[in-house]
Amino acid sequence: MTAPTPLIAGNWKMNGLAASLAEAKAVAEGAKAARARVAICPPSVLIERMSRELAGSAVAVGGQDAHAEESGAYTGDVAAEMLADAGATLVILGHSERRATYGETDSLVAAKVKAALRAGLEPIVCVGETLEQRKAGEALKVVTGQVRGSLPADLAGKAFAVAYEPVWAIGTGLTPTTPEIEEMHRAIRATLVEMFGEAGRAVPILYGGSVKPSNAAEILHADEVGGALVGGASLKAADFLGIVNAV
Ligand code: PGA
């Protein structure tokens, strides 16, 4: 089975106003010859405008979270159908900031993944251990457990990605060593094959956590790394393109 096309996705988190759309346009301009699929996940209120600005470009637009239900009395929440209606084609689910701040469990993330599929969105499902879990030698067990718990069987035959993001590497400038990344990505791959058979080999496994232009090439060329989920360095087109072009 051929290796999946790498995916480089930018997670703007709660950053960006209408003026930031210029950065997205610059990414689209600079990514024309990219060897990777490229996506930007802005705050939900920018999705519609960004989708219009990037229409016809190679850059896809995604959400950062979605509610599991299609509609209802959930003040402040956004449904997967709404993201799709606004022009998103992907959605990040189960990011550690949501798991930690909003208490999202594996089973809630799995319900959100089903919602994304219902809406025709490609889910990017995040997993990752805390520093305490790594120090206790539990990283592999924790992360493969999150993969099993967060990916519903409904994903069989569907396009989706898994993002390995060690919590302690997010926004800290710290990254695992390349052998540590490879060990984890191989364990995730084995779990995906266990769950989805040979189709599990075609799922891109992204690395996320302090990816920047200076470390992107080494990380992206590591075994079983199928792209990156980029936070801070996705906010400036020049930095993000430095990562996109490291594929
Ligand atoms: P970072 O964030 O690149 O700023 O470390 C990554 C993420 O949280 O997806």
Side-chain angles (χ1 to χ4, degrees):
M1 193 169 286
T2 51
T5 305
L7 170 64
I8 308 292
N11 174 11
W12 280 16
K13 308 190 180 184
M14 199 174 74
N15 298 288
L17 299 169
S20 320
L21 294 170
E23 294 297 327
K25 285 183 87 167
V27 169
E29 197 52 41
K32 279 183 179 155
R35 283 184 293 271
R37 295 165 63 210
V38 181
I40 301 176
C41 303
S44 59
V45 289
L46 285 180
I47 288 175
E48 182 160 8
R49 271 177 290 179
M50 189 180 286
S51 301
R52 264 194 261 128
E53 297 275 356
L54 301 186
S57 83
V59 178
V61 179
Q64 300 175 7
D65 175 46
H67 196 279
E69 299 296 329
E70 194 172 340
S71 61
Y74 302 104
T75 303
D77 275 316
V78 174
E81 281 77 3
M82 296 169 184
L83 298 176
D85 191 44
T89 55
L90 307 93
V91 63
I92 298 167
L93 295 172
H95 190 282
S96 66
E97 286 155 14
R98 296 211 55 93
R99 290 180 186 260
T101 312
Y102 302 97
E104 293 196 5
T105 59
D106 289 342
S107 58
L108 178 63
V109 176
K112 291 181 172 205
V113 170
K114 289 187 187 189
L117 296 179
R118 189 183 66 216
L121 298 174
E122 177 179 346
I124 301 173
V125 183
C126 302
V127 294
E129 83 285 359
T130 63
L131 191 56
E132 294 66 39
Q133 289 165 333
R134 177 158 285 270
K135 282 185 176 155
E138 294 169 355
L140 288 171
K141 194 182 83 195
V142 166
V143 170
T144 54
Q146 288 174 331
V147 170
R148 284 197 187 87
S150 306
L151 301 181
D154 313 50
L155 283 168
K158 299 289 197 317
F160 69 101
V162 172
Y164 167 54
E165 300 203 303
V167 177
W168 51 274
I170 294 177
T172 58
L174 302 172
T175 51
T177 63
T178 299
E180 283 170 339
I181 293 174
E182 291 181 329
E183 178 186 43
M184 187 62 81
H185 280 232
R186 287 186 190 119
I188 293 171
R189 177 68 69 211
T191 309
L192 289 170
V193 171
E194 217 177 86
M195 295 173 74
F196 300 102
E198 283 305 298
R201 294 197 195 284
V203 177
I205 305 173
L206 318 186
Y207 168 79
S210 298
V211 179
K212 45 188 187 253
S214 59
N215 63 16
E218 176 162 354
I219 291 172
L220 290 168
H221 293 115
D223 190 37
E224 293 290 10
V225 173
L229 183 55
V230 185
S234 72
L235 297 173
K236 289 276 165 255
D239 290 343
F240 193 49
L241 287 168
I243 296 167
V244 166
N245 292 322
V247 169

